Amino acid sequence: MIASPDIQMITALLHDAAFKSLETPIEIGGIKFEIPAGLIGGDKSLDLVLIVDSISEDERRILRKIEGVARALDVAGSKRTLTTVISGPRPSATILEAMSKVSRVLPIGTVKAEDMRRSLENWLAVLLPLKIPDASPDTTAPAQELLNSANDLPGDIISLITIARDGKDAVAEAINDFIIESIGTDLDEEVFE
Amino acid sequence: MKPFLSHIEIENFRSIKGRVSVPLDAPVVLIHGHNGAGKTSLLSALELGLTGTVESLARLDSTFYEHLVHKSAAEGSVTVTAETSGGGKTANEVRVVNTQIIGRSLLTREQSHFFSERCYLAQSTLGRLLEIYERKEKKGESPLTKFVKDLLGLDQFDALLEGLHHIGDTRRIRAAIPEYAIIMDQIQESQAQVTDLQSSLKELETSANAVETSLNVKLASLGIYDSSSPEIAIRALESTNEEAQLQRYAGHRREIVVSREQLSSLRNRVSDDSRKRAEASLDAANAELLKWKLTGALEVAAYFDSLKALFPDHTAPEVIGYTEFLGQAIQRIESDIQRCDELSRSQTSFNVKLDDLFRTLRQLDARSFRIDEQIAQHSAQSSEMAVALANLLPHINSDNCPVCDRDFTEVKKGGLQSHVNRQVTALTKSADQLQALMQEKANATKSRGDFDRERAILQSQLISPEQAIELKARVFKLNTLLQRSSSLKDRCSEGDRIISASSAAARELASMRTADQSNEVLRESTRAIASRLHLDIAESEGLDSALSRLSTVVLQNEAVLIERQATRKEALEEARVLVENLATKKRLNDKLGAESLRLRKLKRSLKIADQKVSSARKLAKRTAAVKAEIVRRVFNDSLNSIWRDLFIRLAPDEQFVPAFAVPSGATRLVEAILETNYRNGEKGGNPKIMLSAGNLNTAALTLFVALHLSVNPEIRCLIIDDPVQSMDEVHIAQFAALLRTLSKQMRRQIIVAVHERALFEYLALELSPTFEGDKLITIQLSRATSDTTVAEYELIGWRPEFAIAAE
């Protein structure tokens, strides 16, 4: 079977993610299956990815094939997970549901040419590694960060940061006390008569 | 990768009855149990053992600690073994006794916060994540804001900002801290006082200068040149005065005035003609006087002699004047005549009265005699007798006499009783009468006594016959003399006239002589006055003009002295004012010194207080800045991109992708806004309206994972409690793949609890070990018949795959 251009694109994407193509027809547990393309995951992956085309094949047939593959895997005692990528128009809901019982289904659907690559990426994302940008380098606790930024201030003011754990009233009381204390120095009682 | 958690042992905690001990040291741990089997209890126990509290429950109910022990036991315990940052395993036990949690947490405070917020997705956490799309209620913060605050641990920041809010404005500080307001006000007051004192002192200085200038002028005019101090000036001013001199001049003035008066009175007298006349009249008067002495005077003298015979004490006519003398004499004679007549008349009436009295006395005596006779007739004892007889009466019952026993009728007729009665009556009557008679006698005696006394008085007033004769003779003499008096009237008045004329003439002449003398004397005294004034009187100068001239000089001098006196008085006043001024200045200076000191002290204190205020303000500013920075750092593009990535994985069909839009600028409180972005970049609305319920769940779930992944992992662990409750199968499959990626690629330990068997098995498949050394632990929770919790676990290792031919 000739892989359609879509299928080629899909395969290419998966190759980028360390998937390896299998020879067709795919043989599982001694049974051969006619499927347009199949790949298995890299070192840390037990994925088996099958790519089918709903244009070139009737959806019910596709379903039977997929079910067959699944059964073959079970018989062989395999721990592999099965993923089916359906290029072309999306099959009916019943078929999809039935297929979902034995396989992960990624019905890519028909997209416009210019959206093709992005749409593929979105669908296949689940198979592709996560691209995580660098996590924030800072893991200091917020309070510590504040302490660092305030370490030029007088000690009693800095202590307010810790006091803030007890709530805003504790903070207000503390700063008021500091201020009252500093007013109280150097003064005689009589000043406040 | 070494898994973070190693082991957990639980006893009687929440719904777990009995003891459960299971390993957790695999990259993936799957827990299965029906609802109520204890899945959540196990995960809560894990949280308790790691963090020392159960934040996931506290979010739902603040009294969660009351329900931590299984109802059948008195206490429960949890022991968690985990990898600590020091390398190596640590086991930490936390016990719950009644409602008390006893034991420390295994993690640090920051780690615990990270765990509860970003590692453990409990049911309550999921619920909270779903709420964040809710709008803000009127009061309080929106769930999103609260979520952000809890996540970032910013409560402390907000407490700091709110607690320091009043520091930002002086008015608010004053309102919150009365002492601050007081000291500010006091500084103001003190400052005002200092300013006042300073200006007062300035005024004093100015006025003192003015007074000093004026004083110096006066002092100069008074000839005082040492005025180094007001006290010295006062002493100098007081040391002399013009009093004495003024008095002398006053004296001179008086003398001059007197002299002038004397001069004018003298003018009226001295002339020769008048002197001759005076002498002549004196001669005439003397002649007449002589004549009188030989005639009229003798007559009067004779009369006086007669008068003296009758009134030896009468005053002589020369003493009181003849007319006066005569008047008095006549008066005396007339009154004496009256007296004598009266005396005579009275004698006659006295005699008549006396005769009457003698007669009356004789009558009284006769009466007394008769009374005595009558008395004698009555016996004194009659009354006693009457009483005795009366007492006897009752004993008389017959005519037999009780005394002698004889029959009374033999003696008399009529019965004894009636006889005795009659006797008693007669005796009684006799007694009565006697009494009356005694009274009469007493009266008579008294009357006699009165009359007798009257007689004696009258008798004493009688004069003897010799005396009567004498009286008559006197009356005769008096009448004679009286007749002579009237004829003397003219003589007396003549005598008086002559005598007074004579003495008047003599007096006049005498005064003329005196006047001459006075004139000389006056001239002398005037010269004396002049010399006292250091002046002279020429011989030819008239007294009048001399006196005038002297008077002018005196007045002039007086005027000068008076002016000097006034100047002296004013100068003294001014000097005293200066002294007072100096005293006031000193007083004010002292006060100024004290107040200035006080002001300095107050200002210093306020300065210190203000330093605190300024530092506090800095702190507030920094707090806001750090807070905003933290918020921005977390809710940044990187979080959004992770979230997007994850969301798309799970909901590849969804057109709208949720994201955070953090408003720029450091606002006081955190307000993150949720929006959705269309896949092509357009903005949609709040996710709540843009996403379906299932996708909202997915959004919540993926947000949690994104938050976990967007920071450096303090704890490489993700624990998820039954997350797929409302996910459809498509999502579940994607979710499983995501978990796999998190485990294999992101190297997080994954612990998932589910209640559905099929899902559990699917996940077990999806998360199977994929390489040598990889491991999976499955835990089955159930209940035994005694309700005890049973935990069966299985460790699954890696097996190589041979299913596919090409392998």
Side-chain angles (χ1 to χ4, degrees), chain A residues 47 78 122 145 152 191, chain B residues 186 622 633 679 740 801:
Chain A
D47 279 311
S78 168
N122 283 347
E145 202 172 322
D152 64 321
V191 172
Chain B
Q186 286 196 335
R622 308 237 178 115
R633 216 186 298 140
R679 290 210 184 201
R740 197 159 49 116
E801 275 287 316

Side-chain angles (χ1 to χ4, degrees), chain B residues 586-638:
Chain B
K586 175 162 191 322
R587 193 169 47 83
L588 287 182
N589 261 327
D590 287 343
K591 218 170 158 193
L592 178 65
E595 195 63 36
S596 300
L597 181 66
R598 181 167 172 258
L599 181 63
R600 272 203 301 281
K601 275 189 179 168
L602 286 172
K603 278 186 169 168
R604 199 170 40 229
S605 293
L606 185 63
K607 189 163 168 214
I608 296 174
D610 279 343
Q611 277 167 357
K612 295 264 180 289
V613 168
S614 138
S615 295
R617 284 185 186 158
K618 281 190 194 149
L619 179 63
K621 233 171 155 183
R622 308 237 178 115
T623 307
V626 170
K627 181 180 178 182
E629 176 56 32
I630 291 174
V631 171
R632 248 198 309 272
R633 216 186 298 140
V634 172
F635 294 94
N636 54 8
D637 294 333
S638 106

Side-chain angles (χ1 to χ4, degrees), chain A residues 27 31-33 57 100 119 146 152 160 171 173:
Chain A
E27 188 179 333
I31 308 167
K32 288 195 173 55
F33 294 92
E57 241 178 306
S100 300
S119 177
L146 180 58
D152 64 321
L160 290 172
V171 171
E173 208 179 304

Side-chain angles (χ1 to χ4, degrees), chain B residues 61-110:
Chain B
D61 179 6
S62 52
T63 62
F64 71 95
Y65 47 83
E66 288 173 12
H67 310 290
L68 289 180
V69 181
H70 188 268
K71 58 187 186 302
S72 74
E75 74 171 69
S77 75
V78 171
T79 309
V80 173
T81 314
E83 285 283 331
T84 47
S85 43
K89 298 193 176 45
T90 313
N92 184 46
E93 188 194 6
V94 177
R95 284 171 39 237
V96 185
V97 184
N98 288 325
T99 59
Q100 272 244 338
I101 297 175
I102 304 168
R104 291 200 337 249
S105 66
L106 189 141
L107 301 174
T108 66
R109 203 165 170 274
E110 282 72 31

Side-chain angles (χ1 to χ4, degrees), chain B residues 231-331:
Chain B
E231 283 88 358
I232 293 178
I234 288 176
R235 266 203 299 275
L237 285 167
E238 285 179 340
S239 63
T240 67
N241 61 23
E242 289 74 24
E243 265 310 304
Q245 278 181 304
L246 274 172
Q247 270 187 9
R248 263 207 321 276
Y249 277 110
H252 293 321
R253 193 166 22 92
R254 270 195 305 276
E255 283 172 351
I256 292 170
V257 163
V258 163
S259 302
R260 283 178 113 168
E261 272 174 17
Q262 285 178 341
L263 186 64
S264 63
S265 74
L266 283 179
R267 284 249 166 87
N268 296 343
R269 292 279 191 97
V270 189
S271 89
D272 279 338
D273 281 349
S274 20
R275 186 172 315 177
K276 279 215 180 80
R277 268 202 305 277
E279 282 169 347
S281 52
L282 180 62
D283 287 338
N286 281 340
E288 250 197 281
L289 185 65
L290 199 64
K291 218 165 58 186
W292 159 261
K293 275 211 161 82
L294 293 171
T295 54
L298 288 174
E299 262 186 65
V300 176
Y303 177 84
F304 182 55
D305 285 337
S306 311
L307 188 67
K308 256 214 306 227
L310 293 167
F311 304 106
D313 61 347
H314 203 90
T315 332
E318 295 83 13
V319 177
I320 54 176
Y322 290 101
T323 321
E324 182 64 27
F325 160 76
L326 188 64
Q328 279 185 11
I330 290 173
Q331 225 176 359

Side-chain angles (χ1 to χ4, degrees), chain B residues 329-399:
Chain B
I330 290 173
Q331 225 176 359
R332 217 160 169 201
I333 292 167
E334 280 174 345
S335 71
D336 206 41
I337 290 174
Q338 212 176 2
R339 181 185 68 85
C340 291
D341 278 341
E342 269 180 33
L343 191 59
S344 304
R345 268 202 305 276
S346 68
Q347 293 302 304
T348 325
S349 73
F350 283 165
N351 278 324
V352 167
K353 257 210 175 132
L354 260 174
D355 282 340
D356 275 339
L357 273 175
F358 271 122
R359 251 199 317 280
T360 311
L361 279 170
R362 272 200 300 279
Q363 277 176 354
L364 278 176
D365 281 342
R367 194 149 183 263
S368 263
F369 186 65
R370 272 203 299 284
I371 292 174
D372 284 339
E373 273 183 353
Q374 284 195 4
I375 285 173
Q377 282 179 9
H378 294 280
S379 162
Q381 283 142 2
S382 17
S383 73
E384 281 171 12
M385 192 60 165
V387 168
L389 285 180
N391 285 337
L392 199 56
L393 254 178
H395 299 284
I396 300 175
N397 303 316
S398 65
D399 285 333

Side-chain angles (χ1 to χ4, degrees), chain B residues 704-732:
Chain B
F704 180 80
V705 178
L707 286 169
H708 177 92
L709 293 174
S710 66
V711 293
N712 269 341
E714 281 275 347
I715 304 186
R716 307 189 78 92
C717 193
L718 258 178
I719 302 173
I720 306 182
D721 186 1
D722 227 344
V724 296
Q725 305 216 352
S726 49
M727 277 188 185
D728 61 23
E729 273 142 356
V730 173
H731 284 158
I732 288 170

Side-chain angles (χ1 to χ4, degrees), chain A residues 8-191:
Chain A
Q8 275 173 353
M9 215 185 300
I10 294 167
T11 314
L13 265 174
L14 290 174
H15 281 166
D16 285 341
F19 279 84
K20 284 204 306 262
S21 283
L22 295 169
E23 278 177 26
T24 53
I26 300 168
E27 188 179 333
I28 301 174
I31 308 167
K32 288 195 173 55
F33 294 92
E34 281 290 345
I35 295 179
L39 304 99
I40 53 172
D43 179 43
K44 297 225 162 106
S45 171
L46 283 176
D47 279 311
L48 170 60
V49 183
L50 303 176
I51 312 178
V52 295
D53 184 6
S54 61
I55 291 175
S56 54
E57 241 178 306
D58 173 57
E59 59 185 27
R60 269 169 304 183
R61 241 179 94 116
I62 294 174
L63 175 62
R64 273 205 297 279
K65 279 191 196 166
I66 300 300
E67 283 172 342
V69 170
R71 217 169 314 135
L73 284 172
D74 286 342
V75 166
S78 168
K79 290 276 190 215
R80 282 202 181 273
T81 54
L82 184 59
T83 307
T84 309
V85 183
I86 309 176
S87 151
R90 190 185 271 242
S92 67
T94 347
I95 300 292
L96 279 179
E97 208 180 306
M99 221 182 286
S100 300
K101 287 201 175 14
V102 298
S103 159
R104 181 185 295 115
V105 183
L106 304 177
I108 293 171
T110 311
V111 281
K112 283 203 285 258
E114 54 267 28
D115 294 330
M116 178 76 75
R117 190 174 173 98
R118 200 153 42 102
S119 177
L120 277 179
E121 275 173 351
N122 283 347
W123 277 109
L124 296 176
V126 73
L127 298 172
L128 303 174
L130 266 175
K131 279 199 292 284
I132 306 286
D134 287 332
S136 329
D138 268 321
T139 49
T140 44
Q144 184 60 48
E145 202 172 322
L146 180 58
L147 274 165
N148 292 345
S149 90
N151 60 7
D152 64 321
L153 298 177
D156 49 1
I157 298 295
I158 291 181
S159 75
L160 290 172
I161 296 176
T162 319
I163 292 170
R165 280 190 201 159
D166 297 329
K168 66 179 192 260
D169 291 331
V171 171
E173 208 179 304
I175 185 64
N176 286 354
D177 283 343
F178 292 156
I179 290 175
I180 291 173
E181 240 179 72
S182 53
I183 289 175
T185 57
D186 289 359
L187 283 176
D188 311 317
E189 281 296 322
E190 48 154 271
V191 172

